Amino acid sequence: VWLHALEEYGPWVTGEDLAHEWLDHIWYPFCEYGYGMKNFSRKIHPPTSGWFNNEFFKECMGCPIRSEIWAFVCPGAPALAREYAWLDATLDHAGASVEAEQLFSTMEAAAFFEDDMDVILDIGMACLPDDSRLRLCLEDTMRWYRQDCDWRTVRMKILSRYGAPDMTSAIQNIGFTLLALLEGKDDFERVMLTAANCGYDTDCTCATAGAIIGIMHGAEAIPGKWKDPLQDSFSLGIDYARQSTSITDLTADTCAMGVHIARARQTGVEIAGAPREAEPKVSAPPPALRVKIA
């Protein structure tokens, strides 16, 4: 849906544009999604829509799991990926969840040009406030893992200090994602199994850890037994139908948008060998001035 939003509205897409896309294509009434949709329908715009009447769910995993698309269209441009991630996250989240989506999109965008996990993590952590509880969790996770490399022990420490009654709460799950990357290193399967075995919001933790490893090392680093059963296809549970359900075609379309954004937003990154460049239906020029009164 966010790729479609970029194709519709162009590289200067706004939070309001994303909210319109959500109401057009996404029916999910669950948790923070439902509160965000209700706020949109009541003309409560982002970023207010992310926290208004949403106290329990505002710091959950619903937006950190959406970080990848912004990195994929901003390879090597972490600051721009972080900017897009903020627009996305504040639709239906606030606080630690917004920080988490920005963290991941920054790390993922940097991972196109960097294969040292410590460096990638440093780049991501630089966008977090010094007093951020999410930052403290990540720092503790790294310290605990260096002191005791048993991931099960570190997992229990994360839960002891940062655990929450909701299994989708962001901070504990971001800690598990980092723990899986530390434990698995460059081994895709080990990363995936560690993230899954940490439990809690595993569809999010596995997906993001896998995306980071995939960006760093490419599809060839993913063992065939993980890829082959997919038969290069995906399915959607939303009210939007692409012309193709091929992962390869989706990748090509995403890459095409990345080429367009790199040029339009002048990221300084040249994408060579891309099959084509996207042509958004609405290709508005950059706004000379934008004023928003909350």
Side-chain angles (χ1 to χ4, degrees):
V1 170
W2 289 165
L3 176 60
H4 180 257
L6 289 166
E7 292 169 345
E8 290 286 315
Y9 295 100
W12 286 276
V13 65
T14 67
E16 285 79 5
D17 296 332
L18 296 179
H20 287 306
E21 283 284 301
W22 191 296
L23 290 176
D24 285 346
H25 299 292
I26 301 175
W27 58 268
Y28 300 156
F30 318 113
C31 307
E32 63 265 46
Y33 299 146
Y35 285 106
M37 289 176 66
K38 183 174 182 180
N39 286 336
F40 304 156
S41 64
R42 296 170 67 191
K43 309 302 180 185
I44 298 174
H45 300 290
T48 306
S49 59
W51 57 262
F52 184 79
N53 195 34
N54 188 23
E55 187 63 30
F56 187 80
F57 295 112
K58 70 181 181 182
E59 292 191 313
C60 292
M61 287 298 289
C63 73
I65 190 55
R66 305 194 300 256
S67 67
E68 287 78 14
I69 178 61
W70 309 118
F72 294 160
V73 298
C74 300
L80 182 57
R82 185 163 63 248
E83 177 184 322
Y84 283 131
W86 186 88
L87 296 176
D88 178 6
T90 53
L91 293 173
D92 52 351
H93 293 80
S97 290
V98 176
E99 293 177 2
E101 183 171 354
Q102 290 188 294
L103 168 82
F104 282 151
S105 64
T106 301
M107 292 173 62
E108 290 153 358
F112 280 95
F113 285 81
E114 179 59 62
D115 60 6
D116 185 319
M117 182 57 68
D118 289 337
V119 174
I120 292 171
L121 186 60
D122 286 344
I123 293 171
M125 294 269 284
C127 75
L128 298 177
D130 290 340
D131 60 349
S132 162
R133 195 161 182 262
L134 176 59
R135 171 188 278 274
L136 293 176
C137 177
L138 297 177
E139 291 174 344
D140 281 342
T141 299
M142 287 186 288
R143 178 169 53 83
W144 291 330
Y145 188 79
R146 292 182 184 122
Q147 291 172 348
D148 185 342
C149 286
D150 180 70
W151 67 266
R152 295 170 181 82
T153 300
V154 178
R155 173 187 177 274
M156 291 306 300
K157 289 183 177 181
I158 292 171
L159 287 175
S160 177
R161 184 166 296 182
Y162 299 100
D166 180 3
M167 67 94 175
T168 73
S169 185
I171 294 179
Q172 61 197 4
N173 285 290
I174 306 304
F176 295 156
T177 306
L178 174 59
L179 178 58
L181 292 167
L182 295 173
E183 171 70 14
K185 299 179 175 62
D186 295 336
D187 185 330
F188 179 86
E189 181 167 318
R190 192 173 176 184
V191 169
M192 290 295 93
L193 293 179
T194 304
N197 286 322
C198 280
Y200 290 69
D201 208 346
T202 52
D203 62 326
C204 295
T205 57
C206 291
T208 299
I212 293 172
I213 289 293
I215 294 169
M216 290 172 66
H217 302 295
E220 63 274 8
I222 302 175
K225 69 177 184 180
W226 289 81
K227 292 184 294 188
D228 297 344
L230 300 178
Q231 299 182 341
D232 191 36
S233 66
F234 66 92
S235 60
L236 290 172
I238 55 178
D239 297 325
Y240 174 61
R242 283 177 48 84
Q243 291 183 341
S244 167
T245 57
S246 161
I247 295 172
T248 298
D249 291 342
L250 177 61
T251 302
D253 290 344
T254 305
C255 183
M257 180 55 66
V259 174
H260 180 76
I261 287 177
R263 294 174 179 171
R265 297 297 300 262
Q266 299 180 342
T267 66
V269 175
E270 179 182 355
I271 302 174
R276 59 184 174 82
E277 180 179 344
E279 297 180 0
K281 295 179 182 179
V282 179
S283 187
L289 176 66
R290 179 179 290 158
V291 177
K292 184 170 184 178
I293 301 175

